[in-house]
Amino acid sequence: MLCGASLTLEPGARVSLVGANGSGKSTLLKIVLGLRRPQRGTVAVFGRVRREESDFHEVRRRVGLVFQDADDQLFCPTVVEDIAFGPLNLGKTPSEALAIVQRVLEAMHLTHLRDRVTHRLSGGEKRLVALASVLAMDPEVLLLDEPTNALDPENEARLVDILLSLPQTILLVSHDAAFRERVAPRVLALSGGCVHQDLRWSAGSASGTG
Ligand SMILES: Nc1ncnc2c1ncn2[C@@H]1O[C@H](COP(=O)(O)OP(=O)(O)OP(=O)(O)O)[C@@H](O)[C@H]1O
Ligand SMILES: [Mg+2]
């Protein structure tokens, strides 16, 4: 399905990736992190070919993926545990991890969710906690797969503010043209298994030809 899909992100770049349902956007993001393996061919990230599971450890430290489905991301009993999991895994002490949880929740105005049972959160709350769990690991690059799914207008606006305030390089997968325009107006398209510039999606989306 993917064949030679390749894209380059300069540090600090904000790029959107669009494409039809089933074109392979989520698959491509998972392949970058080694969560799915290509049936054929090689994967190169940060200038190095990644083959073995151990090759992807560095990638997963440097790149954070917010999954399209928050239930794929959150697996701990409570929000605080879900957000602390990444920092603990990166070698932080429990008190350091708790301080990070506090900082991230405050930055996202989510402290009220800290001790909630994760699987009982609403869909939108899960999306926000999933993003918080990724930001807690302070990755260099954020891969966001449909981050506005399930968000109400107020939380969507807050998400825009959060993303615009972050220093990270961002690759955004989103079907929402207005959201892309605000967060990552440069658009690449995935079709036929390849990533290419697609001016119809970039300029045209604003004038209704997308
Ligand atoms: N785990 C899997 N095993 C086999 N095929 C899969 C798996 N996950 C997805 N696919 C298939 O791969 C194709 C691409 O799926 P993918 O989820 O990457 O699309 P997408 O571009 O993210 O679509 P959408 O816009 O709907 O999110 C689809 O045909 C899908 O059915
Ligand atoms: Mg997808």
Side-chain angles (χ1 to χ4, degrees), residues 20-27 29-30 68 145-146 173 175:
N21 294 135
S23 58
K25 304 177 299 295
S26 299
T27 302
L29 301 188
K30 288 177 187 166
Q68 184 163 9
D145 200 347
E146 298 292 350
V173 171
H175 293 295

Side-chain angles (χ1 to χ4, degrees), residues 99-147:
I100 291 170
V101 172
Q102 197 62 24
R103 195 178 67 232
V104 171
L105 287 177
E106 279 171 14
M108 294 184 69
H109 301 276
L110 294 176
T111 45
H112 58 289
L113 298 182
R114 184 183 180 284
D115 297 308
R116 292 276 299 277
V117 174
T118 306
H119 80 266
R120 289 199 198 130
L121 296 174
S122 77
E125 288 169 335
K126 281 185 192 169
R127 297 292 302 163
L128 294 167
V129 170
L131 174 62
S133 73
V134 170
L135 292 180
M137 291 184 277
D138 198 22
E140 288 167 47
V141 181
L142 278 175
L143 307 180
L144 305 173
D145 200 347
E146 298 292 350

